[in-house]
Amino acid sequence: MIITAAMTAMAMMPCDADAQLKVGGYGEVALTRNFYSDNVYRYSDPKKYANDPSHGRFDIPHAVIYLSYDFGKGWIMSSEIEFEHTGTGCAQEKEFSEGGEWEQEIEKGGEVELEQFWIQKTFCKELNVRAGHIIVPVGLLNAHHEPLNFFTVYRPEGEGTILPSTWHDTGISLWGKMGDFRYEAMVVAGLDAFLFNRENWVQNGAGSSAEFKVANKYGFAARVDNYTIPGVRIGVSGYYGKAMHNSFPHDLEGDKYNSAGEYEGEKQYNNIKGVVAIGAADFTLDRNNWIVRGNIDYGYVGDAATISSIKRNLTANNAPYKKTPVGKNALAYGVEAGYNVFSQIDRMKKDKQKFYVFGRYEYYNSYIPSAEQQQYEYTAKKRIALGFNWMPVPQVAVKAEYSKRFLKSQYNDEPSVSIGVAYQGFFL
């Protein structure tokens, strides 16, 4: 089943089916030591930074509070408030994509986000209508982004690099269950092409630097999951929408007139659409003490070279756009597998403890250029992770891993060690 954070947590703790108010959430603590340079020029001059010292990071990637209320007669309200990286407001950041400049960045709402807020009407199990701020379940990570749905300490890198994560936007969704299938289809505000970049492809495009989400253009997303095989879920998902002319102000599209009001033809970029198309497939197997998950995502941005040129020129007046180019395509695929060792120890099995030993492999490239665009080969990365997840109770996981990114031979590989603690569950 495709489930939101609320539904996932609900499945993990018994809850009174008649309760009107539900309170829950999830959160993560992560501690990391990276054994590679964090200098902003490490890819442009890799030999110079090959022997830089290691660096560490302690973080609270996500802490989420979930509230839901059942009004009766099929009407439900649900919300999630997410705190990212422990703070709100502004932060000093050293922008690798902008020549190592220091910038004071203020994001909409700081780093506190209303990740979900929707009102739903249930007509029957086959048809539910949801309106508000909702999860866009494109890819495995967005559909199952809670921390007990992946083995790694941080969210899987591939999808988390090229797609918004968690991808949430305002719109209308239809979903339901039919036999062994679950479907979801939605209309949301479109992505903003001027927020795309080289390091993260369209990831930032769902955001907004304004007090509102610009919706000059719209996006369409859909997902279907099948549960015919016991313990196995297979899903496909996708997104389509136009991302150009979805910024503020809306003044690069349409016809051009002179000061006397006389028609002078179309504006220069009127026909640049910036079509974004994303296709994804994923699966989860949970049976016989094994959990195996896998995904593949491939995306396309139309007019990528033109968009890259336009937005770079627009940044001269301090506009809140990304200077670096966006690739025509992006790709991410990965697989992870873990075995519950405690399933072979009777005492641990009776105590309902689990200890998964896991491995993960993934490949991703956030910038696959068109023929006329410049190459940046460091964006192609392979990554392995080996580690364990200990679950002393069903709602808590203690995680540890060794991981390493493998880049092309002219660059330095990037190993690291991480430990973390995560929970998800309901309190009421």
Side-chain angles (χ1 to χ4, degrees):
M1 177 184 296
I2 298 183
I3 38 185
T4 65
M7 295 178 182
T8 302
M10 194 181 302
M12 298 197 61
M13 292 186 68
C15 196
D16 182 357
D18 297 324
Q20 291 182 307
L21 175 67
K22 294 183 174 66
V23 181
Y26 65 88
E28 307 153 296
V29 179
L31 317 175
T32 298
R33 195 75 192 179
N34 296 312
F35 299 97
Y36 57 88
S37 175
D38 60 354
N39 191 283
V40 296
Y41 297 111
R42 66 184 182 273
Y43 298 129
S44 58
D45 192 358
K47 290 183 179 180
K48 182 177 179 180
Y49 303 103
N51 298 313
D52 272 12
S54 63
H55 53 101
R57 297 189 177 189
F58 288 10
D59 195 8
I60 310 291
H62 307 93
V64 173
I65 299 172
Y66 166 78
L67 296 171
S68 177
Y69 192 82
D70 186 341
F71 298 100
K73 297 184 179 180
W75 290 96
I76 297 174
M77 179 283 295
S78 184
S79 65
E80 280 188 11
I81 300 174
E82 180 176 44
F83 300 83
E84 294 187 3
H85 310 293
T86 72
T88 62
C90 62
Q92 288 290 137
E93 296 187 3
K94 199 168 181 65
E95 290 286 354
F96 168 69
S97 61
E98 299 179 11
E101 296 177 358
W102 282 103
E103 289 191 353
Q104 186 178 66
E105 300 219 347
I106 300 176
E107 299 177 0
K108 180 183 178 184
E111 291 190 55
V112 176
E113 293 186 302
L114 186 65
E115 187 168 281
Q116 295 191 63
F117 173 77
W118 43 260
I119 297 173
Q120 177 177 291
K121 170 61 178 175
T122 297
F123 296 95
C124 57
K125 70 175 184 177
E126 293 83 7
L127 179 61
N128 305 266
V129 180
R130 185 176 292 174
H133 204 68
I134 50 184
I135 297 296
V136 181
V138 175
L140 176 61
L141 178 56
N142 282 309
H144 304 276
H145 56 274
E146 304 82 16
L148 302 191
N149 287 327
F150 49 85
F151 289 124
T152 48
V153 173
Y154 298 93
R155 292 179 176 180
E157 281 192 8
E159 286 188 326
T161 296
I162 68 172
L163 299 180
S165 175
T166 305
W167 191 345
H168 48 92
D169 223 320
T170 302
I172 299 174
S173 168
L174 302 179
W175 70 274
K177 304 173 189 175
M178 298 179 179
D180 294 333
F181 290 87
R182 184 189 188 280
Y183 76 90
E184 187 165 5
M186 61 182 62
V187 180
V188 294
L191 299 175
D192 183 352
F194 291 165
L195 297 177
F196 299 169
N197 68 12
R198 181 174 59 219
E199 279 68 39
N200 301 105
W201 199 51
V202 304
Q203 182 197 83
N204 298 310
S208 173
S209 57
E211 293 182 347
F212 53 90
K213 177 62 186 290
V214 179
N216 301 329
K217 308 297 178 183
Y218 305 106
F220 304 87
R223 183 177 181 93
V224 176
D225 286 273
N226 176 264
Y227 299 86
T228 300
I229 304 172
V232 176
R233 179 201 54 77
I234 301 172
V236 293
S237 55
Y239 173 89
Y240 178 88
K242 295 177 181 178
M244 184 64 183
H245 308 299
N246 203 38
S247 55
F248 172 79
H250 188 194
D251 58 1
L252 297 180
E253 185 178 30
D255 296 328
K256 182 169 59 176
Y257 297 86
N258 61 25
S259 58
E262 298 169 332
Y263 176 70
E264 294 185 339
E266 294 181 345
K267 293 182 179 179
Q268 181 180 0
Y269 302 117
N270 182 60
N271 294 317
I272 304 301
K273 306 300 182 185
V275 168
V276 177
I278 301 168
D282 58 77
F283 74 92
T284 301
L285 178 150
D286 186 354
R287 56 190 298 180
N288 301 323
N289 302 307
W290 283 94
I291 295 179
V292 184
R293 307 178 181 98
N295 70 279
I296 182 168
D297 308 78
Y298 187 75
Y300 163 83
V301 170
D303 307 301
T306 303
I307 290 170
S308 300
S309 176
I310 297 170
K311 70 189 187 73
R312 184 171 183 84
N313 293 333
L314 287 176
T315 58
N317 64 353
N318 294 321
Y321 306 134
K322 301 295 182 180
K323 293 181 181 178
T324 61
V326 56
K328 178 182 178 182
N329 299 105
L331 171 66
Y333 58 83
V335 62
E336 67 179 21
Y339 182 74
N340 177 21
V341 177
F342 282 179
S343 66
Q344 305 303 310
I345 304 173
D346 288 340
R347 182 171 63 87
M348 296 300 185
K349 189 175 181 180
K350 289 179 182 178
D351 196 35
K352 297 183 180 180
Q353 295 193 48
K354 296 181 180 180
F355 190 95
Y356 287 96
V357 177
F358 78 91
R360 179 177 179 84
Y361 171 83
E362 59 187 325
Y363 170 88
Y364 59 96
N365 191 342
S366 59
Y367 178 82
I368 303 174
S370 57
E372 65 270 35
Q373 291 183 283
Q374 185 176 346
Q375 296 280 342
Y376 295 93
E377 294 187 325
Y378 70 85
T379 59
K381 299 178 176 74
K382 298 175 183 177
R383 182 178 184 268
I384 61 165
L386 304 170
F388 68 82
N389 281 198
W390 170 43
M391 302 180 69
V393 293
Q395 299 83 20
V396 175
V398 179
K399 301 183 177 187
E401 71 177 62
Y402 168 81
S403 67
K404 189 172 184 178
R405 297 191 197 104
F406 297 88
L407 286 75
K408 293 196 173 182
S409 58
Q410 65 267 41
Y411 306 107
N412 302 307
D413 292 337
E414 299 178 342
S416 65
V417 174
S418 301
I419 59 175
V421 182
Y423 87 94
Q424 65 185 61
F426 265 67
F427 314 127
L428 293 175

